Amino acid sequence: MPGVAGTWKDLTGNVNMLAANLTTQVRAIAEVATAVTKGDLTRSIQVDASGEVAELKDKLNTMIDNLRLTTERNTEQDWLKNQPRQIHNMLQGQRDLGAVGRLMLSELTPLVDAHQAVIYRCTARTRRRSGCCRSMPIPAAPATPRSSGSARA
């Protein structure tokens, strides 16, 4: 307020500062909430707060973390439900054990973020003679990221 001095000036300044802090905090919460509604579960509220606003910030960040973990678990469960069927269909008609191994590893290796995979083929003859098996190193297929349906920044 123009023309105020002393205590009134201090009170006015404090009220304006509180209003500005609250506005900043609410805008930060709204920005992250908007991103989450659009599927971006990588965001969290990063604003200095105290009291009830800090508690709200912490609860919302916990909620976002839980939602992200649940989404990831659901995606993994979907994969577990569908992948065996896909691998079964892919392997139908294959007679060559090496081709089967390469097909399986080309699907499974990227899922565990491996760079190299090995499959061992044992025969009765090699086991009886030396107790060891031949190995077939199979280079991993290029990794294809799994999508969890959410945007990642």
Side-chain angles (χ1 to χ4, degrees):
M1 293 175 74
V4 293
T7 304
W8 285 109
K9 182 176 182 178
D10 292 342
L11 287 173
T12 304
N14 288 338
V15 168
N16 288 337
M17 186 174 64
L18 286 171
N21 285 341
L22 185 58
T23 300
T24 300
Q25 294 165 350
V26 170
R27 283 184 180 157
I29 290 170
E31 180 184 331
V32 172
T34 300
V36 169
T37 62
K38 293 178 180 178
D40 185 358
L41 301 177
T42 62
R43 305 280 302 273
S44 65
I45 302 166
Q46 303 293 326
V47 68
D48 289 330
S50 60
E52 290 85 359
V53 176
E55 188 176 338
L56 176 63
K57 175 189 88 163
D58 294 342
K59 298 289 183 190
L60 287 171
N61 283 337
T62 300
M63 181 184 70
I64 294 167
D65 289 341
N66 290 339
L67 184 58
R68 182 179 56 251
L69 290 172
T70 300
T71 301
E72 289 171 359
R73 277 191 221 118
N74 288 343
T75 300
E76 290 170 3
Q77 289 298 319
D78 287 345
W79 181 86
L80 288 172
K81 290 177 189 173
N82 296 323
Q83 198 62 27
R85 187 175 334 132
Q86 291 171 351
I87 290 175
H88 172 74
N89 292 340
M90 179 180 64
L91 295 178
Q92 278 191 334
Q94 292 292 333
R95 302 260 182 235
D96 178 38
L97 186 59
V100 169
R102 280 187 290 282
L103 282 170
M104 287 183 66
L105 290 178
S106 70
E107 291 293 315
L108 298 175
T109 304
L111 295 173
V112 295
D113 295 326
H115 299 287
Q116 182 79 16
V118 177
I119 198 165
Y120 294 96
R121 179 173 62 185
C122 298
T123 63
R125 185 174 50 123
T126 57
R127 236 185 282 154
R128 270 185 266 156
R129 284 188 186 169
S130 65
C132 65
C133 305
R134 289 187 300 162
S135 66
M136 286 189 316
I138 300 178
T144 55
R146 293 185 308 203
S147 173
S148 64
S150 65
R152 301 244 181 216

